[in-house]
Amino acid sequence: MVTFLGVLLVLLCSILILALFKFFHKFWWVPMRITHVMSSQGIQGPPYNFIYGNTKVISNMIKKSTSSPMDMSHHIFPRVEPHLDSWLHIYGNNILYWQGPQAELVVTEAELLKKIMSIRGISMGRQDMGPISNKIFGGGLVFSQGDKWAKQRKLATHAFNGERLKNIVPAMVESVDMMLKRWKDVGTKEKDVYEEFRTMTSEVISRIVFGSSYEEGKKIFQKQGALIPLAAKQLSKTRILGFKMIFKDKEDLEIDKLLADIRDTIKKMIRIRESMIVSGAESMNDYLGILLNSYHDVDENYKLSIQDIIDECRTFYIAGHGTISLLLSWATLLLGIHTEWQEKAREEVQEVFGNQSPSLEGIARLKRMGMIINETLRLYPPTLSTIRKVLKETHVGDLVLPASINIHIPALALHQDPRIWGEDAHLFKPERFAEGIANSVNKNPGAFLPFGYGPRNCVGSNFAINEAKIALTMILQRYRFTLSQNYVHAPVQLVTLRPMYGVQILFQHL
Ligand code: HEM
């Protein structure tokens, strides 16, 4: 008996020692080692705090900077990312900071960035976003790796680019038209365009992904939309080992319930679609159709599972709707203030389309509108950063990058840097893009990255630009508009860059 108890005790002690060892290794030893390696190479940053890293400091700084609205200025970097603004001033162009025990190397120096991103192992390495984001995105294209990524990327490139964009345009025009019909009674009343664009863009992505079943798709996407603020809340909390897996709070349970509902509804749609295909009733032209084709692929290399399809549908909703509604909201805000550019854009729309509906050929000729969209993406990039994971220790020239650190490319910091864009970096000046992007950035191609950088850049950028151009064209053909006095300028980062209180616009029928 004594021997048995003794063995049990030794076993328990060993497990405890092992757990403690792992805990201190992750939360103390690794951060100390990485801090030492980086500082010996001249890269400094705020000190690591045990367990929390800099998360508490960051959250306090953001709470303070966003506690009240700001003046109507586009110099939003110090408000939205006060920690980066402050540390880049204190520690230099490249800094090391800590999201919990995760090291983040922020790189703003163009030459270094170019060198780092030329290493394929890094430019392909998507960061692990932790259990919450993994739950939200699942194994979809945004976070997949290796062969699975290559397969999903190929399908998405095929679905959202080239010839197929032509087929997508009518669905976009129809959804914008529905939105504008809802605006018929707009008169002199103001509208929160952020809400309007969210509905419209979710309508578009639902049509493109689910085709004729898009009404059903909209319900899925509403639930997916409800997940994002819950995930943002959870992400700001530091999680200790598996503790949170065992003890779930109210938000964890809500997330689980929404995910189960989404999974069940997509599965049901797939079953219905499969039976329609068998009876020969349904064409396979939408994205769900393309994905289902891959489910039936005889070549194992291209085969997708049902879970892959579910993940991919959810991924495209998140990636392909919130971002465009933000681009449109910020562009409308800027054109509501800078009405001289609104007039210039309207003139161009009249020249190209008159009062006709936009077509893909005509959209390509909207040069001024392209400049306005680029300037909007520069000042208000919906996605604030591009992140890459260093999977194994890597040498970049003389610099050694330890395994597991993240490379953090801060789009907003680069987009608003006067050293790159000039002293007027914070002003809305679409003319800086008149000669194209390459000539706008002082020969610094990494300085404009609203759609990311390298082989894992945004697969939907053409889709997004086209949808934004179509929506703006159709609005400019019908309305003159200004920013309402009731608008409160309060940009915040809630996963993406959002207007905290919406964007209220006053419309006047032409
Ligand atoms: C204004 C709108 C959009 C913005 C600002 C935006 C921005 C981004 C950014 C910054 C990335 C990360 C790139 C990187 O890490 O280098 C990304 C990736 C991605 N985006 Fe977009 N995006 C937009 C619209 C869309 C649309 C419409 C779709 C789909 C139809 C889409 C699908 C994706 C996907 C699937 C990825 C992951 C690509 C990969 O890992 O291979 N995005 N996007």
Side-chain angles (χ1 to χ4, degrees):
M1 185 66 182
V2 172
T3 329
F4 174 72
L5 274 179
V7 170
L8 196 65
L9 207 63
V10 169
L11 201 68
L12 281 175
C13 284
S14 312
I15 291 171
L16 193 68
I17 290 167
L18 195 68
L20 273 174
F21 176 78
K22 275 181 95 170
F23 179 79
F24 279 99
H25 184 263
K26 176 173 177 177
F27 288 95
W28 185 76
W29 170 249
V30 174
M32 288 303 113
R33 194 180 59 81
I34 291 178
T35 303
H36 173 71
V37 171
M38 296 315 286
S39 73
S40 66
Q41 302 181 85
I43 292 177
Q44 309 286 339
Y48 171 76
N49 295 308
F50 188 51
I51 299 178
Y52 294 101
N54 305 122
T55 36
K56 278 187 173 171
V57 180
I58 296 171
S59 121
N60 286 339
M61 285 170 102
I62 294 179
K63 225 182 241 166
K64 196 167 159 215
S65 71
T66 55
S67 61
S68 56
M70 66 182 284
D71 293 341
M72 193 55 249
S73 142
H74 309 314
H75 187 23
I76 62 169
F77 179 47
R79 170 192 169 87
V80 178
E81 293 179 309
H83 52 296
L84 293 185
D85 180 47
S86 157
W87 296 333
L88 286 167
H89 273 110
I90 300 172
Y91 301 108
N93 290 337
N94 310 308
I95 59 164
L96 183 74
Y97 81 96
W98 298 91
Q99 287 283 5
Q102 174 62 54
E104 304 277 325
L105 175 62
V106 181
V107 183
T108 64
E109 200 182 305
E111 270 313 301
L112 180 60
L113 193 55
K114 213 159 101 189
K115 277 189 202 154
I116 292 178
M117 291 300 273
S118 70
I119 294 170
R120 196 164 166 78
I122 297 180
S123 66
M124 294 293 293
R126 187 64 89 206
Q127 82 278 23
D128 180 5
M129 289 284 283
I132 293 296
S133 284
N134 285 343
K135 262 189 183 177
I136 306 292
F137 284 91
L141 174 56
V142 172
F143 292 111
S144 60
Q145 308 272 9
D147 288 348
K148 188 170 178 188
W149 170 80
K151 179 166 66 178
Q152 288 168 322
R153 176 91 190 187
K154 200 168 161 195
L155 285 176
T157 306
H158 167 62
F160 296 103
N161 288 287
E163 262 304 292
R164 285 191 62 87
L165 273 180
K166 220 181 230 166
N167 305 331
I168 288 174
V169 167
M172 290 177 175
V173 172
E174 205 175 321
S175 299
V176 178
D177 204 44
M178 278 173 67
M179 175 184 76
L180 294 173
K181 284 199 175 111
R182 289 196 296 271
W183 292 10
K184 256 200 165 138
D185 62 339
V186 70
T188 51
K189 278 186 284 178
E190 68 183 31
K191 277 229 164 278
D192 178 359
V193 290
Y194 178 49
E195 278 308 316
E196 294 290 325
F197 291 145
R198 277 162 60 87
T199 311
M200 187 275 286
T201 53
S202 119
E203 180 103 18
V204 171
I205 200 76
S206 190
R207 280 174 195 267
I208 307 303
V209 175
F210 294 120
S212 56
S213 347
Y214 83 100
E215 281 294 348
E216 193 68 13
K218 266 165 50 182
K219 286 184 210 150
I220 298 169
F221 289 159
Q222 273 158 11
K223 293 197 168 126
Q224 186 69 43
L227 277 174
I228 302 205
L230 288 171
K233 241 181 177 176
Q234 296 295 73
L235 276 177
S236 63
K237 298 175 188 167
T238 300
R239 279 145 193 269
I240 303 172
L241 295 176
F243 191 73
K244 268 286 185 183
M245 297 297 184
I246 304 162
F247 300 102
K248 296 189 172 186
D249 61 19
K250 200 173 126 237
E251 279 139 15
D252 288 316
L253 295 174
E254 247 177 277
I255 289 176
D256 287 351
K257 161 105 183 50
L258 284 166
L259 283 172
D261 284 354
I262 292 168
R263 224 176 5 250
D264 290 348
T265 319
I266 299 183
K267 270 190 180 160
K268 206 169 105 198
M269 280 173 75
I270 291 174
R271 267 201 305 274
I272 294 172
R273 183 67 69 95
E274 288 276 72
S275 63
M276 289 170 92
I277 293 164
V278 170
S279 67
E282 181 76 5
S283 77
M284 305 273 276
N285 229 1
D286 52 30
Y287 193 43
L288 183 60
I290 293 177
L291 294 171
L292 273 172
N293 260 335
S294 290
Y295 172 62
H296 291 289
D297 208 308
V298 279
D299 184 343
E300 279 301 317
N301 291 325
Y302 289 97
K303 213 171 165 59
L304 291 182
S305 68
I306 291 291
Q307 187 57 47
D308 290 336
I309 297 177
I310 294 172
D311 288 343
E312 208 59 352
C313 290
R314 287 169 43 209
T315 291
F316 273 83
Y317 172 75
I318 301 177
H321 120 91
T323 44
I324 308 184
S325 61
L326 286 166
L327 164 58
L328 277 169
S329 301
W330 295 119
T332 312
L333 171 131
L334 289 162
L335 291 178
I337 301 170
H338 303 276
T339 48
E340 71 289 3
W341 275 99
Q342 189 187 134
E343 281 311 319
K344 285 184 197 177
R346 187 172 293 106
E347 266 168 33
E348 184 179 60
V349 163
Q350 287 301 334
E351 274 163 31
V352 176
F353 296 117
N355 287 327
Q356 301 295 310
S357 289
S359 62
L360 193 61
E361 295 73 28
I363 292 168
R365 287 168 34 219
L366 296 175
K367 186 177 168 216
R368 261 180 240 163
M369 197 184 283
M371 287 154 55
I372 291 168
I373 288 175
N374 280 341
E375 185 65 342
T376 305
L377 288 169
R378 185 183 72 82
L379 290 169
Y380 295 91
T383 312
L384 290 172
S385 315
T386 289
I387 314 271
R388 293 290 183 275
K389 181 112 191 153
V390 179
L391 299 171
K392 58 178 185 29
E393 187 177 283
T394 307
H395 290 247
V396 183
D398 293 338
L399 186 69
V400 180
L401 300 174
S404 87
I405 68 168
N406 281 343
I407 303 295
H408 179 140
I409 314 168
L412 186 60
L414 289 162
H415 288 190
Q416 303 215 341
D417 188 340
R419 287 170 302 180
I420 297 165
W421 302 93
E423 284 311 312
D424 59 1
H426 311 124
L427 302 182
F428 176 71
K429 292 181 106 179
E431 63 267 35
R432 63 176 101 238
F433 287 101
E435 301 305 321
I437 291 171
N439 289 312
S440 69
V441 289
N442 236 339
K443 301 195 172 29
N444 189 344
F448 183 65
L449 58 161
F451 293 110
Y453 199 131
R456 291 208 71 147
N457 68 357
C458 178
V459 79
S461 57
N462 290 332
F463 179 109
I465 299 282
N466 282 340
E467 187 174 336
K469 282 185 169 176
I470 288 171
L472 289 173
T473 294
M474 292 173 73
I475 294 170
L476 288 165
Q477 283 174 326
R478 289 160 180 78
Y479 296 102
R480 209 162 254 124
F481 53 90
T482 48
L483 186 63
S484 163
Q485 301 273 354
N486 294 327
Y487 169 71
V488 178
H489 196 41
V492 282
Q493 179 178 17
L494 256 173
V495 184
T496 43
L497 178 64
R498 300 176 187 216
M500 197 167 182
Y501 305 109
V503 176
Q504 291 74 23
I505 296 285
L506 280 166
F507 287 96
Q508 191 193 352
H509 241 298
L510 287 175

